[in-house]
Amino acid sequence: MSRLLLNCDMGESFGNWTMGLDAEVMPFVDCANIACGFHAGDPGIMRQTVALAVANKVRIGAHPSYPDLVGFGRRSMACSNEEIRDLLHYQIGALDGICRVQGSRVAYVKPHGALYNDMMADHGKLRAVLEAVAAYDRHLPLMLMATADDSAARALGDELGVTLWFEAFADRAYDAAGRLLSRRLPGAVHHDPALIVEQALRLARGEALSASDGSAVRLRAQTLCVHGDNDSSLAAVRQIRQALDALTAS
């Protein structure tokens, strides 16, 4: 069984404003998606978070977004494909420079927030993101959302020579197409730790999940996104790590 990598958004503090429990979560994850200054983070926060990842032997991923610091990168922006390529290169390069000073490198790219959602909904934007990654370093994988039918994304990745890491979520409900249920709908977010761990295990085993309409949906995921911004989410990350390690060892 291939190991399901745990990834977590980190480095999302800014100046005197603190967000997340990065130091507590880092020992339990495999991949740290580090904000690059456009939705959160600043040079000092980036440096500290990279150092934390290096100390814990965690892979470092660039977490670029639209230039939306006020909206935390959660608002779509009318950026051209050229602008998308430019803003990715700017942010990946900034984080990669900080990594190199500390003897490391950016190991993958995971867009944040509205940019992530827009590339999943718009094939042209996904191409722009993939072209940006390929131009910077064709060996960097791109992390994107696993859905019931990933064939179009896989074909585009093959065309441009970029490895794709599909990610799933243990604490979110899915619709029949394998897309995340809107947070505005009841039951979209799981809060029961037992349910969250069970969904993580089902994803790790390659088993089908129960969609919001009761149908079965199967996701082929290489990585699982976990959240560590409060004490309860930190506890869930620990339980998921223990459960996945036990599954891999069995």
Side-chain angles (χ1 to χ4, degrees):
M1 179 184 299
S2 60
R3 188 167 182 261
L4 191 65
L5 301 174
L6 295 187
N7 78 82
C8 186
D9 298 348
M10 294 188 174
E12 293 186 321
S13 300
F14 183 79
N16 290 329
W17 183 72
T18 301
M19 179 176 179
L21 300 172
D22 292 359
E24 292 84 354
V25 174
M26 193 72 80
F28 300 100
V29 301
D30 303 290
C31 305
N33 319 316
I34 300 180
C36 304
F38 273 34
H39 76 278
D42 56 43
I45 296 296
M46 292 163 70
R47 171 181 52 77
Q48 294 166 25
T49 312
V50 166
L52 189 61
V54 170
N56 285 273
K57 297 180 173 57
V58 170
R59 301 181 198 185
I60 296 169
H63 200 35
S65 77
Y66 288 129
D68 180 28
L69 195 58
V70 172
F72 199 65
R74 289 177 174 165
R75 301 179 293 187
S76 292
M77 301 182 72
C79 294
S80 68
N81 288 346
E82 184 176 50
E83 288 171 327
I84 289 174
R85 289 190 289 268
D86 288 343
L87 65 88
L88 259 71
H89 289 158
Y90 188 96
Q91 293 175 82
I92 297 169
L95 182 64
D96 202 28
I98 291 174
C99 287
R100 291 182 66 176
V101 169
Q102 300 192 47
S104 186
R105 294 296 302 268
V106 165
Y108 64 93
V109 178
K110 176 188 173 180
H112 165 82
L115 178 58
Y116 182 95
N117 292 330
D118 288 352
M119 78 175 188
M120 294 305 303
D122 185 327
H123 195 73
K125 284 186 170 59
L126 178 57
R127 174 178 282 276
V129 170
L130 279 163
E131 287 174 345
V133 173
Y136 187 87
D137 183 345
R138 197 174 298 276
H139 296 98
L140 290 180
L142 175 71
M143 196 177 290
L144 70 169
M145 190 184 302
T147 60
D149 182 5
D150 296 323
S151 57
R154 291 181 186 276
L156 193 53
D158 290 343
E159 176 191 338
L160 297 174
V162 176
T163 298
L164 303 180
W165 286 356
F166 289 95
E167 75 166 338
F169 297 78
D171 61 352
R172 296 292 302 277
Y174 285 87
D175 64 18
R179 295 191 177 274
L180 295 178
L181 206 62
S182 170
R183 287 180 178 270
R184 294 188 293 270
L185 298 175
V189 180
H190 303 323
H191 298 287
D192 181 353
L195 178 59
I196 293 172
V197 173
E198 176 57 28
Q199 183 155 309
L201 288 173
R202 294 186 71 84
L203 289 163
R205 297 188 193 107
E207 298 173 356
L209 305 180
S210 179
S212 56
D213 65 354
S215 63
V217 59
R218 192 179 300 275
L219 304 174
R220 292 186 292 172
Q222 290 80 47
T223 182
L224 185 72
C225 183
V226 294
H227 300 100
D229 55 356
N230 58 63
D231 290 338
S232 61
S233 62
L234 174 58
V237 172
R238 287 172 173 158
Q239 292 178 50
I240 291 171
R241 173 84 283 158
Q242 292 170 356
L244 293 182
D245 285 350
L247 180 64
T248 303
S250 63

